[in-house]
């Protein structure tokens, strides 16, 4: 399904790595392993380096997202309001750690750093 994207790029050009990763992620919503291998072969960059780039940038995902994405802010203001407890409660309820998706693919739990809503940071002290 993703092989058509290579028609728009020159092979062996490592400068196209990030645009290719972005296009693949647009197609699948994440970066499947077989697509990373194909990109590695196309741009002639070792697979380990492709993974290095894909894991360095927050925009890229190596796992598919769930139907619903829950983001818990762990920025300073939310940390002070004890957002860790919200995160722990969600992890316990969903049965997954932050950065993962539930088995039924209904929820993905993520941690973010400040979403610009510091003044309304919720507190959870239970
Ligand atoms: S620190 Fe959480 S919204 Fe800013």
């Amino acid at each position: 399904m993703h092989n058509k994207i290579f028609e728009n790029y020159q092979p062996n050009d490592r400068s196209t790595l990030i645009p290719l990763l972005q296009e693949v992620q647009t197609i699948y919503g994440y970066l499947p392993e077989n697509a990373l291998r194909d990109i590695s072969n196309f741009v002639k960059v070792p697979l380990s380096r492709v993974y290095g780039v894909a894991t360095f940038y927050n925009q890229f995902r190596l796992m598919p997202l769930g139907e619903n994405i829950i983001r818990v802010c762990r920025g300073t203001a939310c940390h002070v309001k004890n957002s860790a407890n919200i995160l722990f409660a969600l992890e316990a309820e969903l049965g997954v750690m932050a950065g993962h998706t539930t088995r039924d693919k209904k929820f993905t739990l993520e941690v973010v750093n400040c979403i610009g809503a510091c003044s309304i940071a919720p507190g959870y002290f239970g």
Side-chain angles (χ1 to χ4, degrees):
M1 185 158 121
H2 60 267
N3 287 329
K4 276 192 171 277
I5 65 170
F6 295 121
E7 294 171 4
N8 301 323
Y9 295 92
Q10 294 295 318
N12 308 328
D13 180 0
R14 58 182 46 217
S15 72
T16 62
L17 176 57
I18 289 178
L20 284 165
L21 291 172
Q22 289 169 326
E23 285 209 40
V24 165
Q25 185 157 288
T26 298
I27 293 169
Y28 297 107
Y30 76 107
L31 300 171
E33 183 180 338
N34 67 330
L36 293 177
R37 286 186 190 284
D38 291 344
I39 290 172
S40 168
N41 291 330
F42 185 77
V43 297
K44 296 289 186 265
V45 170
L47 184 58
S48 60
R49 180 92 174 114
V50 173
Y51 267 100
V53 171
T55 56
F56 179 79
Y57 293 104
N58 282 341
Q59 67 175 301
F60 296 122
R61 303 176 187 288
L62 296 177
M63 304 292 287
L65 286 175
E67 221 173 280
N68 305 283
I69 303 166
I70 301 171
R71 294 188 173 99
V72 178
C73 180
R74 292 291 292 129
T76 304
C78 291
H79 173 76
V80 169
K81 292 278 239 156
N82 224 352
S83 67
N85 282 347
I86 293 173
L87 180 61
F88 297 151
L90 285 166
E91 287 176 337
E93 182 66 27
L94 298 172
V96 294
M97 301 297 287
H100 292 86
T101 300
T102 57
R103 279 179 188 248
D104 62 5
K105 310 279 189 235
K106 291 270 187 206
F107 299 99
T108 295
L109 181 59
E110 291 186 339
V111 168
V112 295
N113 292 314
C114 193
I115 56 173
C118 310
S119 64
I120 57 169
Y124 178 83
F125 303 99

